[in-house]
């Protein structure tokens, strides 16, 4: 019996392998033949599904962003002040559990440094951030700058993963304990901002 070709399954295998490769090596250092090998497919499939290596990099980033938006939604339910610290902690947990997200963002920023509007799906991602800002603004009213609060939440979540050497210097060798303590700090910081007069 002939084997049916699973385009969606192959595409997912390629994207999963690409996440690790692009996160580790960046756009220029990543090798499509290594991605294909790790996905158990051939290199020609990458070009067939995604086009150029740059298009593949963009598709990989979009896949990671989609996963993160699904796993850490801020607009999924009506928020109150108690939910914003929870959102911050969810985002922190997500990037700790998926450090490739932070590494991909760093490579993306470096790769598109000369034209940040060329970032994959820039307009759609800006709209998504705008929706988060509006949601925060609805919860906080005029008491809090919602853009700055969102930026602070993102920075708090990402920095712990982006600079593990600094985490080690400050907290010592027990990474699990550092994560637990910093996680509670993230919650406390957002709670304090919301409670400030």
């Amino acid at each position: 019996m002939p084997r049916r070709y699973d385009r969606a399954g192959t595409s997912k295998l390629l994207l999963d392998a690409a996440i690790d490769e692009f996160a580790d090596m960046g756009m220029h250092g990543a090798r499509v033949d290594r991605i294909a090998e790790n996905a158990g497919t051939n290199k020609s499939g990458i070009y067939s599904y995604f086009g150029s290596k740059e298009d593949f990099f963009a598709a990989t980033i979009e896949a990671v962003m989609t996963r993160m938006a699904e796993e850490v939604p801020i607009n999924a339910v009506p928020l109150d002040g108690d939910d914003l610290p929870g959102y911050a902690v969810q985002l922190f947990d997500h990037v700790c559990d998926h450090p490739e997200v932070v590494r991909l963002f760093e490579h993306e920023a470096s790769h598109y440094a000369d034209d940040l509007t060329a970032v994959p799906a820039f307009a759609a991602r800006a709209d998504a951030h705008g929706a988060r800002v509006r949601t925060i603004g609805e919860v906080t009213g005029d008491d809090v700058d919602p853009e700055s609060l969102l930026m602070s939440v993102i920075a708090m979540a990402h920095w712990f993963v982006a600079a593990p050497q600094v985490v080690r210097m400050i907290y010592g060798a027990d990474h699990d304990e550092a994560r637990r303590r910093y996680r509670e700090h993230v919650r406390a910081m957002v709670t304090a901002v919301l409670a400030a007069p």
Side-chain angles (χ1 to χ4, degrees):
M1 173 176 239
R3 205 172 85 183
R4 291 186 55 158
Y5 190 66
D6 181 4
R7 184 175 176 86
T10 301
S11 178
K12 182 181 179 334
L13 288 171
L14 286 167
L15 284 169
D16 288 346
I19 290 169
D20 291 333
E21 180 73 10
F22 284 126
D24 290 343
M25 307 303 293
M27 214 304 275
H28 294 295
R31 306 238 342 251
V32 291
D33 55 338
R34 192 166 38 224
I35 293 170
E37 181 181 332
N38 289 338
T41 186
N42 60 53
K43 186 165 71 169
S44 65
I46 292 171
Y47 297 109
S48 172
Y49 291 131
F50 301 103
S52 69
K53 182 179 175 185
E54 180 120 9
D55 293 338
F56 190 30
F57 181 60
T60 302
I61 290 169
E62 288 184 58
V64 166
M65 293 300 301
T66 298
R67 180 181 72 193
M68 188 164 59
E70 290 169 352
E71 292 180 10
V72 190
I74 193 170
N75 298 39
V77 293
L79 289 175
D80 61 33
D82 293 335
D83 291 318
L84 288 172
Y87 170 75
V89 168
Q90 274 189 302
L91 183 61
F92 174 72
D93 286 342
H94 182 82
V95 297
C96 285
D97 294 340
H98 301 281
E100 67 279 3
V101 170
V102 174
R103 295 193 315 270
L104 275 169
F105 281 167
E106 291 169 350
H107 288 300
E108 177 186 56
S110 175
H111 182 69
Y112 295 103
D114 292 336
D115 182 7
L116 294 176
T117 60
V119 163
F122 183 90
R125 289 165 64 187
D127 288 347
H129 283 305
R132 291 179 188 96
V133 166
R134 286 188 298 280
T135 299
I136 291 169
E138 289 167 9
V139 170
T140 61
D142 294 334
D143 297 334
V144 173
D145 175 355
E147 288 89 351
S148 296
L149 180 55
L150 179 60
M151 193 69 209
S152 295
V153 166
I154 293 168
M156 284 189 295
H158 284 230
W159 186 249
F160 187 87
V161 175
Q165 73 281 18
V166 176
V167 172
R168 176 78 180 257
M169 291 172 199
I170 293 171
Y171 286 95
D174 189 342
H175 186 78
D176 291 340
E177 176 63 9
R179 178 176 170 174
R180 184 197 64 74
R181 287 174 56 200
Y182 190 74
R183 182 181 194 273
E184 288 310 308
H185 176 74
V186 167
R187 182 186 303 278
M189 288 296 288
V190 176
T191 301
V193 167
L194 294 174

